[in-house]
Amino acid sequence: MTEYTVTPFQNEPFTDFSRPENKQAMEAALLKVKAELGRDYPLRIGSEKVMTEQKIVSVNPGNVDQVIGHVSKATQDLAEKAMNAALNTFETWKKTTAVDRACYLFRAAKLMRERKHEFSALMVYEAGKNWAEADADTAEAIDFMEYYGREMIRLSETHTHRPLTKLPGEENRLTYIPLGVGIVIPPWNFPLAICVGITAAAVVSGNTVLLKPASVTPVIAHKFVELMEEVGLPDGVINFIPGSGAEVGDYLTSHPKTRFISFTGSKEIGLRINRLAAQTNEGQIWMKRVIAEMGGKDGIVVDETADLEEAAKAIVASAFGFQGQKCSAGSRVIAVASVYDRIVQLVKEHTEKLTVGLPELNYPLGPVSDQQAYDKILAYIEIGKTEGRLLVGGGKAQGNGYYIEPTVFTDVDGRARIMQEEIFGPVLAIGKAKDYKEAIALYNDTEFGLTGSYFSQDEARIAYALEEMHCGNMYVNRKCTGALVGVHPFGGFNMSGTDSKAGGHDYLLLYTQAKLTSRKL
């Protein structure tokens, strides 16, 4: 057994880039990573590194002339080969002790911490994140490995620390065993943190995986796979197979040997995965488990007792952090009528201070992810011009990339499309309510239920909001983004997914099954 000492979990601190030494370190990392752009990257299937003729071309969304990398693209035949590699490795990996599995994560977290700025710099180029957003993404990836390693050890010791009820003459034990081979499909908006989180949770639980990263950000996913190879993770535990969702994703979701699918992305794709996974195919002897986080239409409610300046700052941070491309982004505001005009004015003032530009130069706002997102968001802005009063922004921003102005609409009806549909971009809709109860009712009038915030100084109203606002992550007097691993377990209700509570004590239960053993003495 691996020798280990586990200290209590602590979140990885964020980097203070106002300190000259941190700024210089990040600039050096950006130069180092920039010199390595444009490389070719293979698939990883078992012990093999496979270069394919077809490639996914990853492009810098902030400078579309810059290629981040050419990533080999899997076919169905290669996906089948990867499935067989994962099945074979599962037979040995599932017998590896929980401590040994956790120690792979601890070693990887240590190395990532030492190279933190390199991982962040790659996201600056590939995902269009500014320095702080990229740094927070890397810190969260480190947190997931540290946290889930500890959680797996805790689960493995449950029979000792939380024994079953004693029955004379019997020895009874509950253990948590892995499921099998899983398909891991992370999103592009947290291309390191969520990729690491859902992959680490699966493998530390004893499963093997087929990792199909988002086509927008495959290079940062490959960098993580390389890291796990460097710490000695056995071949076949993580198989790296970027490819088409329609060709490879659907094939593996429907595969009879697939035991679970862990997905983060849009509602539409999540529902498609759920439908495909629900169909049993020849040779399948289980119901597939789907772990899905599918986005939101998150909102902030402000009543007349609130600190309006703090509320406005939180609204702008929630709406426009990483260009509004977070499933937790606060894209709706419902303010009580008596403070509505003041909130609108404060939001306008704070939004107008934001500047848009190249992430490499650390502008507050950068580009959106790709051409498809760019076109979709601009189309929603045009819809917004027919549904509300344009307050700020409303169009393209300058730059050789997918830049859009931070845009705010006011006087928007609760049933308007820009109040109901997930835009996933820098677009905020503000509406009015007669009182706090109507404001909360308007907040709840959505098919989603991921994050929400309530700003108030009235304890009775806060208690009402805590009970009535229907979302998985409910915040009071703070922004609705920025969940921390172990502090704010993350997942939502309704069409926001399976409320899987990533970074929480019950998350690894989704990747395991409980086995009761009973022996007569």
Side-chain angles (χ1 to χ4, degrees):
M1 178 179 286
T2 302
E3 292 292 326
Y4 76 102
T5 302
V6 178
T7 57
F9 172 77
Q10 290 185 311
N11 293 105
E12 180 69 15
F14 299 143
T15 304
D16 179 0
F17 289 112
S18 69
R19 295 173 65 94
E21 64 272 25
N22 292 336
K23 181 174 182 287
Q24 290 166 11
M26 185 63 178
E27 288 171 340
L30 286 162
L31 286 173
K32 182 177 188 295
V33 170
K34 192 173 187 176
E36 298 169 354
L37 298 180
R39 292 181 175 179
D40 290 345
Y41 296 92
L43 308 177
R44 182 67 192 267
I45 299 174
S47 61
E48 292 184 62
K49 294 179 181 178
V50 180
M51 285 288 191
T52 62
E53 189 174 333
Q54 275 200 312
K55 299 284 196 301
I56 297 169
V57 181
S58 175
V59 172
N60 181 347
N63 176 10
V64 294
D65 296 329
Q66 187 175 61
V67 173
I68 307 303
H70 303 268
V71 182
S72 290
K73 193 174 184 181
T75 61
Q76 284 187 8
D77 287 344
L78 289 169
E80 181 65 28
K81 187 175 181 180
M83 171 60 75
N84 290 328
L87 286 165
N88 290 335
T89 302
F90 177 65
E91 294 306 312
T92 52
W93 181 243
K94 68 182 180 182
K95 296 174 183 176
T96 306
T97 68
V99 168
D100 284 347
R101 297 195 303 258
C103 284
Y104 286 109
L105 298 192
F106 297 150
R107 289 197 290 272
K110 181 176 183 293
L111 282 180
M112 188 178 288
R113 188 177 292 112
E114 292 169 0
R115 305 169 191 168
K116 179 190 294 190
H117 296 322
E118 289 181 32
F119 280 88
S120 298
L122 182 51
M123 280 187 284
V124 168
Y125 290 116
E126 188 172 38
K129 296 200 169 202
N130 67 21
W131 297 9
E133 292 287 350
D135 181 72
D137 200 311
T138 304
E140 187 174 16
I142 294 167
D143 282 351
F144 276 133
M145 289 189 283
E146 294 280 7
Y147 186 83
Y148 291 146
R150 287 164 172 77
E151 281 299 292
M152 192 61 237
I153 293 170
R154 180 184 66 83
L155 268 187
S156 72
E157 297 171 346
T158 296
H159 63 278
T160 303
H161 299 312
R162 295 186 65 185
L164 300 171
T165 301
K166 297 290 185 183
L167 182 66
E170 284 187 8
E171 179 184 78
N172 296 300
R173 176 180 288 194
L174 194 66
T175 55
Y176 294 91
I177 66 172
L179 298 171
V181 176
I183 314 305
V184 172
I185 309 174
W188 54 261
N189 64 328
F190 286 88
L192 185 64
I194 296 180
C195 176
V196 170
I198 59 181
T199 305
V203 301
V204 81
S205 301
N207 306 289
T208 55
V209 302
L210 281 67
L211 169 57
K212 194 190 91 61
S215 295
V216 175
T217 53
V219 177
I220 189 69
H222 188 275
K223 190 173 179 69
F224 163 61
V225 172
E226 282 184 328
L227 181 74
M228 298 310 296
E229 180 183 351
E230 186 177 345
V231 299
L233 189 74
D235 295 336
V237 175
I238 299 175
N239 300 276
F240 181 69
I241 50 159
S244 158
E247 182 182 3
V248 172
D250 287 0
Y251 176 76
L252 291 173
T253 298
S254 301
H255 199 288
K257 296 299 184 182
T258 294
R259 184 62 181 82
F260 66 91
I261 304 99
S262 184
F263 166 80
T264 300
S266 70
K267 178 193 81 172
E268 291 75 18
I269 301 299
L271 292 177
R272 177 175 177 78
I273 286 171
N274 199 45
R275 285 194 301 272
L276 290 173
Q279 299 167 4
T280 53
N281 294 296
E282 186 176 351
Q284 185 177 326
I285 59 171
W286 45 59
M287 294 173 65
K288 294 171 184 172
R289 191 172 293 180
V290 174
I291 305 153
E293 199 272 273
M294 305 191 311
K297 190 66 181 174
D298 311 298
I300 296 178
V301 175
V302 184
D303 78 14
E304 69 274 20
T305 73
D307 181 328
L308 300 185
E309 180 65 33
E310 288 301 308
K313 288 179 183 177
I315 288 165
V316 172
S318 299
F320 301 122
F322 188 39
Q323 298 76 262
Q325 298 177 119
K326 301 178 184 181
C327 50
S328 58
S331 59
R332 299 183 296 150
V333 173
I334 302 102
V336 169
S338 60
V339 294
Y340 178 82
D341 289 342
R342 181 59 181 153
I343 276 290
V344 166
Q345 181 59 31
L346 287 169
V347 168
K348 180 176 186 290
E349 290 172 7
H350 285 292
T351 303
E352 287 176 338
K353 294 175 185 175
L354 297 172
T355 52
V356 182
L358 196 63
E360 188 179 349
L361 301 179
N362 202 25
Y363 277 81
L365 267 66
V368 299
S369 61
D370 61 4
Q371 185 73 51
Q372 183 178 357
Y374 184 70
D375 293 341
K376 174 188 170 185
I377 295 161
L378 289 172
Y380 267 111
I381 288 174
E382 293 308 306
I383 291 167
K385 291 174 182 177
T386 70
E387 294 183 329
R389 178 173 68 89
L390 179 64
L391 182 71
V392 181
K396 301 173 183 178
Q398 290 186 338
N400 185 35
Y402 306 116
Y403 295 101
I404 296 175
E405 296 174 330
T407 299
V408 181
F409 293 100
T410 63
D411 306 337
V412 184
D413 183 79
R415 298 305 300 169
R417 287 184 65 185
I418 62 169
M419 272 282 194
Q420 290 291 323
E421 298 175 14
E422 187 176 40
I423 300 170
F424 225 67
V427 182
L428 174 67
I430 306 179
K432 185 187 300 183
K434 65 182 179 182
D435 58 24
Y436 76 96
K437 286 190 175 179
E438 183 181 71
I440 290 171
L442 285 167
Y443 167 85
N444 284 335
D445 185 21
T446 170
E447 65 179 346
F448 297 103
L450 186 51
T451 73
S453 295
Y454 182 59
F455 276 81
S456 176
Q457 300 299 320
D458 186 302
E459 289 301 327
R461 293 182 180 191
I462 289 171
Y464 178 86
L466 288 172
E467 185 170 339
E468 294 296 325
M469 288 176 70
H470 192 64
C471 53
N473 283 55
M474 168 69 192
Y475 304 105
V476 176
N477 293 328
R478 55 147 287 181
K479 64 179 182 175
C480 63
T481 56
L484 290 173
V485 173
V487 180
H488 313 108
F490 190 81
F493 304 152
N494 299 346
M495 285 299 175
S496 288
T498 53
D499 191 37
S500 51
K501 284 295 179 267
H505 281 315
D506 52 0
Y507 189 66
L508 294 191
L509 298 179
L510 300 168
Y511 297 87
T512 58
Q513 48 197 350
K515 180 176 183 179
L516 181 280
T517 55
S518 181
R519 180 176 181 175
K520 188 174 181 179
L521 300 175

